[in-house]
Amino acid sequence: MLDLGIDLNAWPWVWLGVAVFFAIIELTVLAGSFVLLPFSVSAFAAALLGFYDVAIELQWLMFLGGGSVLWVVLYRYVKRFAGENEMAPGVGADRVVGLMAIVTSTIDPDDTSRRGRVSIDGEVWGALSEFNSPLPAGAKTRVTAVNGTRVVVRPIDPAAAPTPTAPPISSPAQPIPPPPPPADPPPPEIT
Protein backbone atom coordinates (compact mmCIF):
# COMPACT_ATOMS: atom_id res chain seq x y z
CA MET A 1 0.00 0.00 0.00
CA LEU A 2 1.25 3.54 -0.84
CA ASP A 3 -0.19 5.45 2.10
CA LEU A 4 3.29 5.85 3.70
CA GLY A 5 1.73 5.73 7.17
CA ILE A 6 -0.27 8.92 6.63
CA ASP A 7 -3.95 9.03 7.52
CA LEU A 8 -6.05 8.67 4.34
CA ASN A 9 -8.02 11.80 5.26
CA ALA A 10 -4.78 13.83 5.26
CA TRP A 11 -3.69 12.88 1.73
CA PRO A 12 -5.77 15.53 -0.07
CA TRP A 13 -4.03 18.19 2.04
CA VAL A 14 -0.63 16.62 1.36
CA TRP A 15 -1.32 16.76 -2.37
CA LEU A 16 -2.42 20.40 -2.13
CA GLY A 17 0.79 21.21 -0.23
CA VAL A 18 2.87 19.47 -2.88
CA ALA A 19 1.01 21.34 -5.65
CA VAL A 20 1.57 24.72 -4.01
CA PHE A 21 5.20 23.91 -3.14
CA PHE A 22 6.00 22.82 -6.73
CA ALA A 23 4.25 25.90 -8.14
CA ILE A 24 6.24 28.23 -5.87
CA ILE A 25 9.52 26.51 -6.75
CA GLU A 26 8.60 26.68 -10.45
CA LEU A 27 7.86 30.41 -10.31
CA THR A 28 10.71 31.51 -8.06
CA VAL A 29 13.69 29.19 -8.37
CA LEU A 30 13.21 27.72 -11.85
CA ALA A 31 11.97 31.01 -13.33
CA GLY A 32 9.09 29.55 -15.29
CA SER A 33 11.04 26.83 -17.08
CA PHE A 34 7.98 24.49 -16.85
CA VAL A 35 9.88 21.63 -15.24
CA LEU A 36 7.72 21.25 -12.12
CA LEU A 37 4.53 22.83 -13.43
CA PRO A 38 3.09 19.55 -14.82
CA PHE A 39 3.70 17.82 -11.49
CA SER A 40 2.10 20.73 -9.64
CA VAL A 41 -1.02 20.31 -11.80
CA SER A 42 -1.03 16.53 -11.32
CA ALA A 43 -0.65 16.96 -7.53
CA PHE A 44 -3.69 19.25 -7.57
CA ALA A 45 -5.61 16.60 -9.55
CA ALA A 46 -4.51 13.96 -7.01
CA ALA A 47 -5.80 16.23 -4.23
CA LEU A 48 -9.20 16.38 -5.94
CA LEU A 49 -9.22 12.57 -6.14
CA GLY A 50 -8.31 12.45 -2.44
CA PHE A 51 -11.25 14.66 -1.48
CA TYR A 52 -13.53 12.17 -3.28
CA ASP A 53 -12.05 9.24 -1.31
CA VAL A 54 -10.42 7.59 -4.34
CA ALA A 55 -7.87 4.90 -3.49
CA ILE A 56 -4.39 6.16 -2.61
CA GLU A 57 -2.87 4.06 -5.40
CA LEU A 58 -4.93 5.97 -7.98
CA GLN A 59 -3.88 9.27 -6.38
CA TRP A 60 -0.22 8.28 -6.77
CA LEU A 61 -0.88 7.13 -10.32
CA MET A 62 -2.49 10.49 -11.08
CA PHE A 63 0.46 12.35 -9.55
CA LEU A 64 3.30 10.39 -11.18
CA GLY A 65 1.65 9.26 -14.43
CA GLY A 66 -0.34 12.42 -15.03
CA GLY A 67 2.66 14.62 -14.26
CA SER A 68 4.87 12.60 -16.61
CA VAL A 69 2.34 12.73 -19.45
CA LEU A 70 1.79 16.46 -18.96
CA TRP A 71 5.56 17.02 -18.87
CA VAL A 72 6.07 15.20 -22.20
CA VAL A 73 3.17 17.05 -23.86
CA LEU A 74 4.37 20.41 -22.56
CA TYR A 75 7.96 19.66 -23.59
CA ARG A 76 6.91 18.86 -27.16
CA TYR A 77 4.74 21.97 -27.35
CA VAL A 78 7.43 24.26 -25.97
CA LYS A 79 10.08 22.71 -28.22
CA ARG A 80 7.95 23.31 -31.31
CA PHE A 81 6.94 26.81 -30.17
CA ALA A 82 10.53 27.80 -29.35
CA GLY A 83 11.78 26.57 -32.72
CA GLU A 84 9.20 28.59 -34.64
CA ASN A 85 9.79 31.84 -32.79
CA GLU A 86 13.54 32.25 -32.83
CA MET A 87 14.71 35.69 -33.81
CA ALA A 88 16.06 35.80 -37.31
CA PRO A 89 19.57 37.12 -37.78
CA GLY A 90 19.68 40.83 -38.39
CA VAL A 91 16.77 41.63 -36.10
CA GLY A 92 17.00 44.34 -33.47
CA ALA A 93 19.92 46.72 -33.17
CA ASP A 94 22.29 44.24 -34.83
CA ARG A 95 20.49 44.72 -38.14
CA VAL A 96 22.59 47.83 -38.82
CA VAL A 97 25.94 46.01 -38.62
CA GLY A 98 27.53 46.09 -42.06
CA LEU A 99 25.40 48.96 -43.38
CA MET A 100 26.81 52.21 -44.71
CA ALA A 101 26.42 55.27 -42.49
CA ILE A 102 27.01 58.96 -43.13
CA VAL A 103 28.44 61.07 -40.32
CA THR A 104 26.00 63.87 -39.49
CA SER A 105 27.86 65.30 -36.46
CA THR A 106 31.63 65.07 -36.19
CA ILE A 107 32.83 61.99 -34.31
CA ASP A 108 35.64 62.95 -31.95
CA PRO A 109 37.66 60.23 -30.17
CA ASP A 110 37.57 62.31 -26.97
CA ASP A 111 33.78 62.69 -27.26
CA THR A 112 32.79 62.86 -23.60
CA SER A 113 29.53 64.63 -24.42
CA ARG A 114 28.44 61.93 -26.90
CA ARG A 115 27.79 64.28 -29.79
CA GLY A 116 29.03 62.08 -32.64
CA ARG A 117 26.11 61.01 -34.85
CA VAL A 118 25.60 59.00 -38.03
CA SER A 119 22.60 58.48 -40.28
CA ILE A 120 21.81 54.88 -41.23
CA ASP A 121 18.90 54.34 -43.61
CA GLY A 122 17.18 57.45 -42.27
CA GLU A 123 17.79 56.64 -38.59
CA VAL A 124 20.15 58.78 -36.53
CA TRP A 125 22.43 56.88 -34.17
CA GLY A 126 25.06 57.95 -31.67
CA ALA A 127 28.44 56.81 -32.97
CA LEU A 128 31.99 55.96 -31.96
CA SER A 129 34.99 55.67 -34.25
CA GLU A 130 36.44 52.15 -34.47
CA PHE A 131 40.05 53.34 -34.66
CA ASN A 132 39.63 56.32 -32.29
CA SER A 133 40.20 58.71 -35.15
CA PRO A 134 38.11 61.82 -35.76
CA LEU A 135 35.55 61.56 -38.54
CA PRO A 136 34.19 64.79 -40.05
CA ALA A 137 30.56 65.40 -40.89
CA GLY A 138 29.69 64.01 -44.31
CA ALA A 139 32.22 61.15 -44.14
CA LYS A 140 31.00 57.79 -45.37
CA THR A 141 31.49 54.98 -42.90
CA ARG A 142 30.52 51.36 -42.37
CA VAL A 143 28.95 50.08 -39.12
CA THR A 144 31.13 47.37 -37.56
CA ALA A 145 29.37 46.80 -34.22
CA VAL A 146 26.67 47.98 -31.86
CA ASN A 147 27.87 49.11 -28.43
CA GLY A 148 24.85 49.71 -26.21
CA THR A 149 22.85 52.47 -27.88
CA ARG A 150 25.73 53.62 -30.08
CA VAL A 151 27.20 52.16 -33.23
CA VAL A 152 30.89 51.69 -33.91
CA VAL A 153 31.89 52.87 -37.39
CA ARG A 154 35.01 52.89 -39.51
CA PRO A 155 35.67 55.04 -42.53
CA ILE A 156 35.11 53.54 -45.95
CA ASP A 157 38.26 53.53 -48.08
CA PRO A 158 37.68 56.01 -50.92
CA ALA A 159 39.55 53.78 -53.39
CA ALA A 160 37.29 50.82 -52.56
CA ALA A 161 34.07 52.80 -52.95
CA PRO A 162 34.44 55.77 -55.29
CA THR A 163 31.76 58.34 -54.83
CA PRO A 164 30.59 60.59 -57.65
CA THR A 165 30.77 64.29 -56.90
CA ALA A 166 27.87 65.21 -59.17
CA PRO A 167 24.87 63.41 -60.53
CA PRO A 168 25.26 61.92 -63.98
CA ILE A 169 24.48 64.33 -66.78
CA SER A 170 21.53 63.25 -68.84
CA SER A 171 22.36 64.44 -72.34
CA PRO A 172 21.39 62.84 -75.61
CA ALA A 173 23.75 60.12 -76.71
CA GLN A 174 26.35 61.23 -79.23
CA PRO A 175 26.47 59.11 -82.39
CA ILE A 176 29.51 56.96 -82.74
CA PRO A 177 31.61 58.08 -85.69
CA PRO A 178 32.04 55.50 -88.44
CA PRO A 179 35.39 53.76 -88.57
CA PRO A 180 37.94 55.20 -91.03
CA PRO A 181 38.06 53.52 -94.44
CA PRO A 182 40.75 50.91 -94.86
CA ALA A 183 44.04 52.13 -96.25
CA ASP A 184 44.72 51.47 -99.95
CA PRO A 185 47.04 48.56 -100.56
CA PRO A 186 50.48 49.54 -101.83
CA PRO A 187 50.92 49.40 -105.61
CA PRO A 188 52.61 46.29 -107.02
CA GLU A 189 56.30 46.58 -107.70
CA ILE A 190 57.44 46.56 -111.32
CA THR A 191 60.69 44.92 -111.93
Side-chain angles (χ1 to χ4, degrees):
M1 201 149 178
L2 297 172
D3 64 3
L4 302 175
I6 299 174
D7 182 24
L8 291 178
N9 292 329
W11 272 107
W13 301 106
V14 170
W15 292 123
L16 279 177
V18 168
V20 169
F21 178 73
F22 279 7
I24 288 172
I25 295 297
E26 175 71 38
L27 293 173
T28 57
V29 177
L30 299 177
S33 60
F34 300 109
V35 174
L36 289 179
L37 181 65
F39 291 100
S40 177
V41 171
S42 66
F44 180 74
L48 290 176
L49 292 177
F51 282 122
Y52 286 107
D53 293 326
V54 175
I56 190 70
E57 290 82 10
L58 292 177
Q59 294 174 32
W60 274 99
L61 181 66
M62 173 60 74
F63 173 65
L64 294 176
S68 298
V69 168
L70 283 174
W71 192 88
V72 168
V73 168
L74 188 61
Y75 174 77
R76 287 186 178 176
Y77 174 75
V78 168
K79 185 178 173 184
R80 185 188 73 209
F81 179 75
E84 291 175 356
N85 293 316
E86 291 179 4
M87 286 181 64
V91 174
D94 290 334
R95 75 186 186 288
V96 298
V97 174
L99 295 179
M100 190 179 81
I102 297 176
V103 178
T104 57
S105 293
T106 302
I107 300 172
D108 184 20
D110 300 323
D111 188 13
T112 56
S113 59
R114 298 178 172 237
R115 292 188 181 166
R117 298 275 184 263
V118 294
S119 175
I120 307 167
D121 288 340
E123 295 179 7
V124 177
W125 287 74
L128 299 169
S129 175
E130 182 177 46
F131 303 115
N132 287 333
S133 59
L135 296 171
K140 293 192 178 194
T141 60
R142 180 136 342 254
V143 178
T144 58
V146 177
N147 185 0
T149 59
R150 295 165 61 167
V151 293
V152 179
V153 296
R154 71 173 146 177
I156 294 178
D157 183 48
T163 55
T165 56
I169 300 172
S170 58
S171 61
Q174 299 293 329
I176 299 174
D184 291 333
E189 288 183 23
I190 302 178
T191 53

